[in-house]
Amino acid sequence: MFSALFQPKFKLCTLCPDGMDMHSHLLWGVDDGARTQAESLELISLLKKRGFRGACCTPHVISRYPWNTATSLKVRFRELVNAVPDEDFELRLAAEYMLDDHFERQFTEEEPLSPDGTHILVELPQYRLPDAWMDMLLLIKDRGYVPVLAHPERYGKILTPEELAALAAQGILFQGNIGSLCGFYGQKCRELARKFQQENLYFWWGTDAHNAIMINKLRL
Ligand SMILES: [Fe+2]
């Protein structure tokens, strides 16, 4: 009875049609997400309690973490899969590719990390647009992949809502952060997320969880 009082009112996973959290930093020791294997397992346990059926690990591939390559991340991902005690939580590996100077080499030297062989999750910096970011999106398309822009609702300082909608019209898919709907990133971001949601622009949803606090704070 007591614990029931503290259950979230709605299951967060209802935003995700197949119950998959499509953006998370569950892999330990590779970026600013989970720091230890125990922390990775704790995050998975919290996601399961929220009703998620699985999660896509999307570690940052960015010049700040030059050690993250498709090869190295596959090794850590395999360690995580082996450490997860039960098989009823699906884990997939992709990446969150920053469209920075590092991107073209990372994207072309190895087969890029995609959750389904088709889609590539990309992000932009919060405060300035990289010079060649549109060329990088074209490069993704030229290689036969579909770019999915991570949390577009958070780019209010670099792109207008109209410019973001124009990207969607050009075939760039959107991934929304559930936390944006909860007001994690401010009122403007929440409103833009609601607008994009009403316009059915989100292809994926994710927690973008870096730690337990981020999951525990999620309330819809
Ligand atoms: Fe992220």
Side-chain angles (χ1 to χ4, degrees):
M1 173 67 181
F2 181 78
S3 63
L5 292 173
F6 294 93
Q7 291 299 311
K9 203 171 174 188
F10 301 106
K11 283 189 173 178
L12 301 170
C13 63
T14 52
L15 275 176
C16 314
D18 60 356
M20 289 290 289
D21 176 359
M22 292 305 290
H23 183 162
S24 70
H25 296 270
L26 302 180
L27 276 193
W28 76 90
V30 295
D31 61 9
D32 54 348
R35 290 163 295 182
T36 62
Q37 185 187 93
E39 198 174 336
S40 297
L41 298 180
E42 181 193 7
L43 298 186
I44 289 170
S45 169
L46 289 172
L47 288 175
K48 284 177 70 174
K49 282 183 188 155
R50 294 305 190 91
F52 285 97
R53 190 183 62 76
C56 189
C57 301
T58 53
H60 289 289
V61 174
I62 183 173
S63 54
R64 190 170 12 133
Y65 304 121
W67 51 83
N68 283 350
T69 64
T71 299
S72 73
L73 292 171
K74 281 178 188 170
V75 172
R76 178 52 49 87
F77 178 70
R78 186 49 45 198
E79 290 175 334
L80 177 64
V81 169
N82 290 338
V84 173
D86 56 61
E87 292 174 1
D88 63 352
F89 191 82
E90 180 181 345
L91 286 167
R92 295 186 209 158
L93 177 63
E96 183 178 17
Y97 287 97
M98 173 62 83
L99 297 180
D100 61 11
D101 296 344
H102 192 64
F103 173 76
E104 185 169 346
R105 186 165 54 83
Q106 283 284 4
F107 185 69
T108 54
E109 277 190 357
E110 291 183 277
E111 189 178 331
L113 294 169
S114 160
D116 54 9
T118 303
H119 298 92
I120 298 290
L121 186 69
V122 298
E123 68 167 336
L124 288 165
Q126 301 288 314
Y127 297 103
R128 64 159 191 90
L129 273 175
D131 292 336
W133 68 286
M134 287 297 284
D135 293 340
M136 294 183 226
L137 291 174
L138 283 176
L139 175 67
I140 295 171
K141 288 181 171 181
D142 285 348
R143 295 200 70 200
Y145 293 96
V146 179
V148 182
L149 185 61
H151 38 66
E153 69 278 359
R154 297 184 60 195
Y155 298 136
K157 290 192 167 54
I158 55 170
L159 290 166
T160 65
E162 292 75 24
E163 287 169 329
L164 287 163
L167 286 178
Q170 293 167 45
I172 310 298
L173 302 179
F174 287 177
Q175 172 265 309
N177 273 13
I178 297 170
S180 298
L181 291 176
C182 309
F184 272 16
Y185 313 101
Q187 188 58 21
K188 271 191 166 177
C189 181
R190 188 202 311 236
E191 285 169 11
L192 194 52
R194 283 181 177 156
K195 174 177 149 50
F196 288 157
Q197 184 185 26
Q198 283 163 4
E199 293 169 352
N200 284 321
L201 289 183
Y202 288 118
F203 179 63
W204 286 338
W205 284 96
T207 61
D208 200 357
H210 288 64
N211 50 56
I213 294 169
M214 283 183 74
I215 301 176
N216 287 331
K217 273 187 170 177
L218 291 173
R219 293 285 185 278
L220 289 178

